[in-house]
Amino acid sequence: MASRQTPRNGRGRRNEAGPAPQDGAAAEALAEVAGLGARAAAQRAVAELIGQNRALALEDALSQASRGLDPAEAALARAIATATFRRFGLIRAALGSRLDHGLPDDQPLLLALLATGAAQILDLAVPDHAAVDLAVRLAKTDRRTQHLGGLVNAVLRRVARERDAILAAGDPLGDGAPDWLAARWRATYGERAEAIGRAHLAGATVDVTVKADPQGWAERLGAALLPTGSLRLPAESGPITALDGFEAGAWWVQDAAAALPARLLGARPGERVADLCAAPGGKTAQLAAAGAAVTAVDRSAPRLERLRRNLERLGLAAEVVVGDALALDRPEGFDAVLLDAPCSATGTIRRHPDVAWTKSPDDIARLAGLQARLLDRAATLLRPGGRLVYCTCSLEPEEGEAQIAAFLSRSPDFARAPVTGDEVGGLTELIDPNGDLRTLPCHLGGGTDARGGLDGFFVSRFARRS
């Protein structure tokens, strides 16, 4: 079977991703053949990610590739591209063993065409003949692949014929992650690693945080009230913006695990609180809703603009600062600081499966260094007796447990404030022996229950000695 490694082009290798050169007939075909535009957008987005040296978020690639598509076609493109990365390990192995010369990693446009076609056959409710036919048609719209229609047809037809055998040979962890990342999780989590893999393949739920009356809103939205206080929407909820309470600003979308750090900070009315690396703003909203005077800091002006819009819809207020948290200087200090540090985001793979394929071990080491600097800076912003919560949406111990052990060893004026079971709805399995929080995608039935799971988060809380 082909190796399930992260696909990365080296310098000087041919990169065929990017806008497809099309003649008038090809452009007309994309517009007129139902579903072809969606497949083209999915192919371009996938090719962009696997054909670039730098990491790119799938959402950003899809946004660019789907311009001009109607909402239904854009949604189909998203479904195809997401399914491709969700089982990219399985798909790469299946294609590699059915191509005479192995995977065309130096031809990302061709690899993306084959991979998105295979994803429709293996993971989506798309008729085999439609997946194959539209992939062949798509190949013919681009002069770089138009001579490969026969190859595309033969390979995808074989995938369709052998679908059951391909799926039976799958590995819950390796189907959705490259070898190096799957090996890390097996070493860190042991038997739980397979459950994490199954949760990634199952996908993510939609959770919301309410400003008040969670039980009442659970009934109005037909949602499940989780032990942690978040609401989990049913799969058939429909468009988020059309739901009761959205326009009125009664709630906002936020994974149940992502809602825990701000709750554990325990912000009180009138307290001065800093939210570092704040965008897109779910935690800022929680802190502001608690009555705190919040300073939200982030380097990204566009992401902070989204935060401002969210706060406006919710009827909440915060001081918004565009800048590097490492340079923030507030001599008066804060009563509490929340640091949601930049990280590898491997805890979000069940909703962003491309993350597994756009990160490398070097990224984890680089981000761990940045996290250490941010932690040290956050510590200087606290008043004596103040509280600090550090969190990352990562499954990697370098960005969690090891980070905190190093911080405490160099910060004698800080002491851990352990999380207790009653603070997380009695879910004591989320708390490690040190009193830190470690949520996994397989928690709350993730991978066994279609509506289960949590994003993978690490959270640690400290108090600065008086």
Side-chain angles (χ1 to χ4, degrees):
M1 298 289 277
S3 174
R4 302 180 180 195
Q5 300 297 329
T6 304
R8 287 175 177 268
N9 277 353
R11 293 186 182 278
R13 296 185 70 183
R14 186 170 40 156
N15 184 346
E16 295 186 348
Q22 299 162 354
D23 57 26
E28 183 177 341
L30 287 179
E32 292 187 358
V33 177
L36 196 58
R39 270 90 176 167
Q43 179 204 19
R44 287 197 295 270
V46 171
E48 191 72 17
L49 266 67
I50 65 177
Q52 296 290 332
N53 288 313
R54 63 182 180 83
L56 179 70
L58 180 58
E59 281 297 320
D60 294 335
L62 280 168
S63 178
Q64 298 168 16
S66 299
R67 287 176 183 167
L69 294 182
D70 64 42
E73 288 278 279
L76 178 57
R78 176 172 286 98
I80 293 171
T82 300
T84 301
F85 283 113
R86 195 173 303 287
R87 292 186 182 269
F88 200 43
L90 176 73
I91 289 170
R92 283 177 58 84
L95 293 174
S97 64
R98 289 162 177 79
L99 287 163
D100 291 341
H101 302 290
L103 288 169
D105 279 326
D106 61 345
Q107 300 178 66
L109 200 67
L110 173 59
L111 178 54
L113 177 60
L114 291 168
T116 53
Q120 295 170 64
I121 294 168
L122 297 172
D123 203 47
L124 296 177
V126 175
D128 294 347
H129 67 86
V132 176
D133 177 64
L134 289 170
V136 173
R137 286 174 179 262
L138 186 55
K140 294 178 179 178
T141 65
D142 190 301
R143 63 171 175 263
R144 292 169 290 184
T145 56
Q146 60 187 7
H147 62 294
L148 297 172
L151 171 69
V152 172
N153 180 70
V155 171
L156 292 183
R157 283 186 179 277
R158 186 176 172 190
V159 169
R161 287 196 308 270
E162 300 172 6
R163 173 175 46 233
D164 291 346
I166 292 170
L167 293 173
D171 166 33
L173 195 59
D175 283 2
D179 292 345
W180 69 270
L181 193 52
R184 283 179 63 91
W185 294 337
R186 287 192 175 99
T188 300
Y189 297 107
E191 294 181 357
R192 291 181 297 174
E194 297 297 321
I196 289 171
R198 287 192 294 271
H200 287 165
L201 296 180
T205 56
V206 178
D207 302 335
V208 302
T209 300
V210 297
K211 287 197 290 188
D213 189 18
Q215 183 62 60
W217 278 107
E219 295 172 1
R220 293 170 72 173
L221 295 171
L225 177 56
L226 301 180
T228 58
S230 293
L231 305 189
R232 179 151 292 174
L233 298 180
E236 63 278 7
S237 290
I240 293 295
T241 56
L243 295 181
D244 187 15
F246 179 84
E247 287 296 335
W251 49 264
W252 58 94
V253 174
Q254 185 178 35
D255 185 80
L260 293 174
R263 288 178 182 154
L264 294 175
L265 191 66
R268 295 183 285 269
E271 283 192 318
R272 289 176 45 80
V273 178
D275 184 8
L276 306 182
C277 311
K283 298 175 182 67
T284 298
Q286 288 177 276
L287 300 171
V294 185
T295 298
V297 183
D298 201 278
R299 296 179 63 177
S300 172
R303 282 165 57 83
L304 280 179
E305 182 56 37
R306 178 182 170 191
L307 181 150
R308 287 190 181 94
R309 292 197 301 270
N310 285 338
L311 290 180
E312 182 178 0
R313 177 179 66 83
L314 296 169
L316 299 171
E319 177 192 10
V320 178
V321 177
V322 180
D324 189 342
L326 289 170
L328 184 65
D329 184 19
R330 293 295 173 92
E332 67 276 19
F334 293 94
D335 298 301
V337 174
L338 173 59
L339 171 58
D340 185 358
C343 69
S344 63
T346 54
T348 69
I349 288 172
R350 66 191 191 117
R351 69 179 68 250
H352 300 299
D354 54 297
V355 166
W357 303 96
T358 56
K359 294 295 188 294
S360 74
D362 290 343
D363 292 325
I364 295 170
R366 174 182 57 81
L367 288 162
L370 174 59
Q371 291 153 12
R373 295 193 298 275
L374 284 165
L375 253 176
D376 289 343
R377 186 60 186 168
T380 68
L381 297 173
L382 269 182
R383 296 171 177 170
R387 308 179 306 284
L388 169 62
V389 165
Y390 166 88
C391 66
T392 58
C393 55
S394 168
L395 295 174
E396 316 315 313
E398 296 94 324
E399 301 180 273
E401 293 85 351
Q403 191 69 253
I404 297 314
F407 172 73
L408 289 173
S409 70
R410 65 178 182 266
S411 306
D413 53 338
F414 279 81
R416 184 184 266 112
V419 178
T420 61
D422 63 309
E423 293 180 288
V424 291
L427 300 177
T428 55
E429 65 270 25
L430 308 183
I431 304 172
D432 71 15
N434 290 319
D436 294 329
L437 196 74
R438 168 62 80 183
T439 65
L440 299 176
C442 55
H443 282 141
L444 284 185
T448 59
D449 178 351
R451 303 304 299 159
L454 291 169
D455 280 355
F457 259 80
F458 175 84
V459 188
S460 191
R461 182 173 59 189
F462 315 93
R464 185 173 184 179
R465 302 183 198 275
S466 299

